[in-house]
Amino acid sequence: MEIETAFHHGAVADDAKPILEMRGIKKHFGNVIALAGVSFDIRPGECHCLLGDNGAGKSTFIKTMSGVHKPTEGEILFEDKPMNFSSPRDAMEAGIATVFQDLAMIPLMSVTRNFFMGREPTKGAGPFKRFDVARANEVCVEEMRNMGINLRGPDQAVGTLSGGERQTVAIARAVYFGAKVLILDEPTSALGVRQTSNVLATIDKVRKQGVGVVFISHNVRHAMAVGDRFTVLNRGKTLGTATRGEITPNELQDLMAGGQEMAQLEGSLGGTI
Amino acid sequence: MPADSTVTDERVREETLLARLMKRPELGAIAGLILVTIFFLFTANASMFTLSGIMNFLTPAAQLGILAIGASLLMIGGEFDLSIGSMVAFAGMIFGALVVNLGLPLIVAIPGTLIFAGMMGVVNGQLVIRTGLPSFIVTLAFLFILRGLSLVGLKYLTGGSTQLRGVRDAVGDDWLAPFFSGDAFTGLFAKLAEWGWIDTFKSGAPKVPGVPVEILWFIGIALFATWILLRTPAGNWIFAAGGDKNAASNSGVPVNRVKTTLFIVTACCAALVAIMTVIDAGSTDARRGFQKEFEAIIAAVIGGSLLTGGYGSAIGAFFGSIIFGMVVIGLTYTSIDQDWFQVFLGGMLLLAVIFNNVIRKRVTGER
């Protein structure tokens, strides 16, 4: 399989209008303050990385973005209109698709059946309305090929795909069904080197189609490989957003860890992290 | 992607036809059917494979098969229904009461019975969904509840007996009766007998007067269920709901509606069997459908349905039921003690489960 090694980073003008804007998002769970005023935005055709260590509030934040949680305070603007998502379905319909770590894939079912799960194309009318299997197969194989995956056949079970390929199916599915903003929750966390580069290549392809990609990760290298902008979350707060070229991996790493300890640790480990 | 992207992945070997066939869920059942047929071709009296012999074993196969197809759909959807055997007795009682005690015509009594059964299906389904308990436990409770209700109800209806008679007189020559009892295509079979194409009695009447209607229902339901499963969005939802209900509902599949509908379908399959067997027998009793839930699940498993859901086939359950009918009736054509049947059944189940497990691993590429 061919792997694109050069990423052509999104040539997004700095003044491009954000498609999704989150302003001063706060989220409290009882007396726990999970998010203490986070601002974030995503422009079409860019890959905005959201970095943070475990417990930084990444998950809470993307769940707020994708309609799972309602923010306690703050506003969400989608295409300049204030949004109040009451369920993930609302967000999905607006064009915000989230690929969670479990991928919402069923290993025993074929790639096509997974691809169209819940949104099957039909033909015929009334009682003869039926699943248009031929078209579904055709679309699925075509979409997967565009993402660089050659299926053995549309009836190949998802269980036979590698982790990276499954991730790609989930991404391709979200994009096919009209995602304008694609939120990827740690897509590379469980993958090997080769599979990771496949997924990063996929992100690059999706970005070129004008989709705004939110890439959540705690791996700075993966983020640096595709990201156009980087926002670091630490203890429920943003530590600022940096543009590609403005920041080095080491600085990012330090920000994520919240300062000096990391620099010291890294010194003792000989810079291997 | 450049044009050469159609090259296949060099790490994936070309699959042979056999390997591809191995992935069909119903393969085991078809192979089993061939084996059983060969077995009886050698051991059984030749009359087993005459037209009348075939009808002989297809009739019980059909009665079980209608239950098994319902059970297999529900199993693919990720749930069990252990109450279908008791449901046959319960629906039989309701049907008997509507026809005999209330004197209703079939056009009212049959939909009435199906609605009653469907409501019990809703109760089962909602209990499973709302409590989050395994359907195994919930429907096990209903196995006893419905059987008990049938006993109590029949005693109440008949004034102390557990058998309700008089269905035949009550049904009489209702215009709907031929759709649910007796034989179909009798005219055709009479003609075939006349032309000497099929065996006849000395009087010239055919030995087999027609195709028992339950066989036609059986074939019809198997084809319909297969069509639903493989060629409609609802079929995709059934596989998805059984495969992983969280993933399915995150993708927009109405999982609860799918499962409740499947419980209704299973209950209605039981009611349909009850209606046909009660009209045929002319009476209903509280033991009707005893242990049919297990036989139906066995037929579904032989047909390739996984106990964990998400995988299986209705046509597999169809063949599984024919194997079952063949063995039950076939043993009477041999010199083998008929009681071996249960041993055989248990053995078949065990083999099928092991076989299915292997298939599942192949399909999902587990190592």
Side-chain angles (χ1 to χ4, degrees):
Chain A
M1 194 180 302
E2 180 195 339
I3 296 160
E4 280 208 42
T5 44
F7 295 130
H8 320 285
H9 287 277
V12 189
D14 283 345
D15 54 350
K17 261 200 156 162
I19 183 164
L20 177 72
E21 212 178 339
M22 319 269 292
R23 287 189 193 146
I25 302 293
K26 291 186 182 171
K27 177 71 190 173
H28 302 171
F29 294 106
N31 58 356
V32 178
I33 302 168
L35 296 173
V38 177
S39 296
F40 183 88
D41 64 84
I42 177 82
R43 301 175 190 144
E46 76 163 349
C47 173
H48 193 157
C49 298
L50 185 65
L51 294 148
D53 213 347
N54 294 339
K58 295 187 307 266
S59 292
T60 313
F61 188 65
I62 58 164
K63 280 185 177 155
T64 313
M65 219 186 304
S66 61
V68 178
H69 294 321
K70 271 192 170 206
T72 314
E73 237 176 82
E75 54 175 349
I76 305 176
L77 295 174
F78 185 73
E79 293 179 323
D80 284 336
K81 285 187 288 278
M83 279 289 179
N84 197 2
F85 300 128
S86 53
S87 76
R89 217 156 167 75
D90 285 0
M92 243 155 86
E93 261 155 43
I96 303 177
T98 311
V99 176
F100 287 109
Q101 273 167 302
D102 69 4
L103 299 181
M105 290 271 161
I106 295 173
L108 280 167
M109 278 164 59
S110 71
V111 177
T112 300
R113 281 178 177 271
N114 267 291
F115 196 94
F116 289 98
M117 181 166 56
R119 290 176 285 205
E120 295 80 2
T122 55
K123 61 180 176 186
F128 302 106
K129 197 160 124 179
R130 56 200 185 275
F131 186 8
D132 192 344
V133 179
R135 201 167 81 78
N137 283 340
E138 205 176 291
V139 171
C140 178
V141 170
E142 178 61 31
E143 292 295 317
M144 293 316 295
R145 185 172 300 145
N146 288 341
M147 291 293 179
I149 293 184
N150 290 298
L151 296 174
R152 242 182 282 161
D155 57 347
Q156 187 179 353
V158 159
T160 60
L161 298 179
S162 71
E165 288 170 328
R166 282 186 218 191
Q167 191 81 46
T168 303
V169 178
I171 294 172
R173 174 170 67 178
V175 173
Y176 178 76
F177 286 106
K180 294 176 187 161
V181 173
L182 180 64
I183 306 170
L184 303 175
D185 185 12
E186 307 243 2
T188 56
S189 65
L191 302 181
V193 179
R194 204 181 162 84
Q195 293 186 15
T196 298
S197 54
N198 281 339
V199 170
L200 297 181
T202 306
I203 293 176
D204 188 48
K205 285 192 189 106
V206 169
R207 169 174 58 192
K208 277 193 212 132
Q209 296 175 24
V211 176
V213 180
V214 181
F215 177 17
I216 289 94
S217 180
H218 56 220
N219 188 316
V220 173
R221 282 178 198 202
H222 297 172
M224 287 306 263
V226 282
D228 297 307
R229 286 194 294 158
F230 308 89
T231 295
V232 177
L233 266 187
N234 191 316
R235 295 178 163 267
K237 288 187 191 131
T238 28
L239 296 178
T241 300
T243 312
R244 178 174 190 78
E246 281 177 2
I247 195 162
T248 67
N250 285 345
E251 284 167 341
L252 264 183
Q253 190 99 321
D254 284 350
L255 274 175
M256 272 171 68
Q260 293 108 354
E261 321 101 275
M262 200 60 196
Q264 286 160 7
L265 240 179
E266 205 165 339
S268 65
L269 291 171
T272 47
I273 305 177
Chain B
M1 288 300 270
D4 66 355
S5 67
T6 45
V7 293
T8 45
D9 192 327
E10 77 284 359
R11 293 164 305 172
V12 179
R13 271 190 301 140
E14 192 62 35
E15 275 190 308
T16 62
L17 180 68
L18 185 71
R20 264 181 291 148
L21 278 180
M22 284 285 280
K23 288 186 178 172
R24 301 294 314 152
E26 52 273 356
L27 174 91
I30 295 172
L33 185 61
I34 293 170
L35 282 180
V36 170
T37 308
I38 291 172
F39 174 78
F40 282 113
L41 279 175
F42 281 104
T43 56
N45 186 310
S47 63
M48 179 171 169
F49 291 100
T50 60
L51 191 59
S52 68
I54 290 171
M55 293 299 175
N56 245 345
F57 69 72
L58 277 185
T59 305
Q63 288 169 4
L64 174 69
I66 294 170
L67 297 176
I69 292 164
S72 74
L73 290 184
L74 185 62
M75 276 172 74
I76 296 168
E79 304 291 344
F80 268 115
D81 190 348
L82 290 180
S83 68
I84 43 182
S86 301
M87 179 60 79
V88 174
F90 182 78
M93 174 192 78
I94 299 286
F95 179 66
L98 293 178
V99 170
V100 178
N101 297 52
L102 297 180
L104 295 171
L106 291 184
I107 187 77
V108 182
I110 289 173
T113 310
L114 291 175
I115 288 169
F116 244 97
M119 282 183 341
M120 294 312 298
V122 172
V123 171
N124 264 330
Q126 288 300 310
L127 272 175
V128 168
I129 289 163
R130 289 183 189 227
T131 60
L133 290 171
S135 50
F136 180 85
I137 293 298
V138 172
T139 59
L140 181 63
F142 274 93
L143 182 155
F144 288 100
I145 292 171
L146 290 179
R147 183 70 66 189
L149 281 178
S150 311
L151 269 169
V152 176
L154 280 170
K155 281 193 206 158
Y156 171 78
L157 289 169
T158 58
S161 164
T162 58
Q163 193 181 32
L164 180 66
R165 293 197 186 83
V167 175
R168 186 161 293 141
D169 295 335
V171 170
D173 49 3
D174 195 298
W175 63 273
L176 258 181
F179 291 98
F180 294 92
S181 72
D183 299 306
F185 308 130
T186 44
L188 176 70
F189 275 63
K191 274 272 178 265
L192 289 176
E194 216 171 275
W195 298 332
W197 288 17
I198 55 175
D199 292 345
T200 54
F201 291 113
K202 288 215 175 73
S203 64
K207 276 188 180 166
V208 179
V211 181
V213 285
E214 49 259 70
I215 296 178
L216 298 179
W217 278 97
F218 176 42
I219 295 170
I221 290 173
L223 292 176
F224 184 65
T226 303
W227 182 74
I228 292 281
L229 268 181
L230 299 181
R231 285 290 177 270
T232 68
N236 210 27
W237 298 351
I238 294 173
F239 281 113
D244 182 340
K245 72 173 195 272
N246 286 329
S249 70
N250 282 343
S251 307
V253 175
V255 172
N256 290 350
R257 211 171 78 214
V258 168
K259 291 198 172 187
T260 309
T261 310
L262 290 175
F263 273 107
I264 295 172
V265 166
T266 316
C268 286
C269 284
L272 180 63
V273 171
I275 291 165
M276 291 194 294
T277 53
V278 168
I279 297 179
D280 258 351
S283 69
T284 184
D285 63 85
R287 264 188 74 82
R288 199 160 280 281
F290 187 64
Q291 287 195 348
K292 283 290 178 219
E293 58 279 338
F294 295 114
E295 294 173 6
I297 289 173
I298 291 172
V301 170
I302 292 174
S305 294
L306 286 183
L307 296 155
T308 43
Y311 191 74
S313 103
I315 212 77
F318 174 86
F319 289 118
S321 309
I322 294 178
I323 293 180
F324 188 94
M326 255 189 159
V327 175
V328 182
I329 304 298
L331 287 175
T332 61
Y333 286 92
T334 65
S335 51
I336 304 167
D337 185 346
Q338 222 198 321
D339 289 331
W340 278 103
F341 152 67
Q342 303 216 9
V343 178
F344 177 86
L345 196 61
M348 262 316 254
L349 175 65
L350 211 52
L351 260 179
V353 172
I354 293 169
F355 185 75
N356 286 350
N357 242 353
V358 173
I359 295 284
R360 196 203 65 217
K361 284 188 179 151
R362 279 179 153 262
V363 169
T364 59
E366 276 177 47
R367 278 164 279 254

